[in-house]
Amino acid sequence: MSSRETERPVMNATRARQGRWGRPVFWVLLFGTLLAALGMFAAWSWKSADEGPAGTGQETVDGRGYGAPEPPPPNPQTP
């Protein structure tokens, strides 16, 4: 055996499978998140001017309770 083989530290399988956490990983995650947010904002602003189908908040109403007839006047109560 050479001295080079005996100097290597022994590492278990779980530790060997874990990646390193450092500054390069942080910057990749940060810029990836920022680019995803920028892409979502760009898509929203691009499509925000489009008119979609009329929803319940966009219907026009004449102000009379959705076309219902006027209620009758109240009857005065006789003593």
Side-chain angles (χ1 to χ4, degrees), residues 57-71:
Q58 297 174 344
E59 294 176 357
T60 58
V61 180
D62 61 359
R64 295 187 308 149
Y66 298 97
E70 292 288 329

Side-chain angles (χ1 to χ4, degrees), residues 10-54:
V10 177
M11 188 180 301
N12 62 12
T14 303
R15 178 78 176 145
R17 288 187 192 110
Q18 293 176 348
R20 293 184 181 179
W21 179 259
R23 259 181 220 224
V25 175
F26 171 75
W27 289 116
V28 167
L29 290 174
L30 182 70
F31 285 124
T33 303
L34 288 176
L35 284 174
L38 183 66
M40 292 289 288
F41 179 74
W44 173 77
S45 62
W46 177 44
K47 287 300 217 177
S48 65
D50 293 350
E51 292 185 21

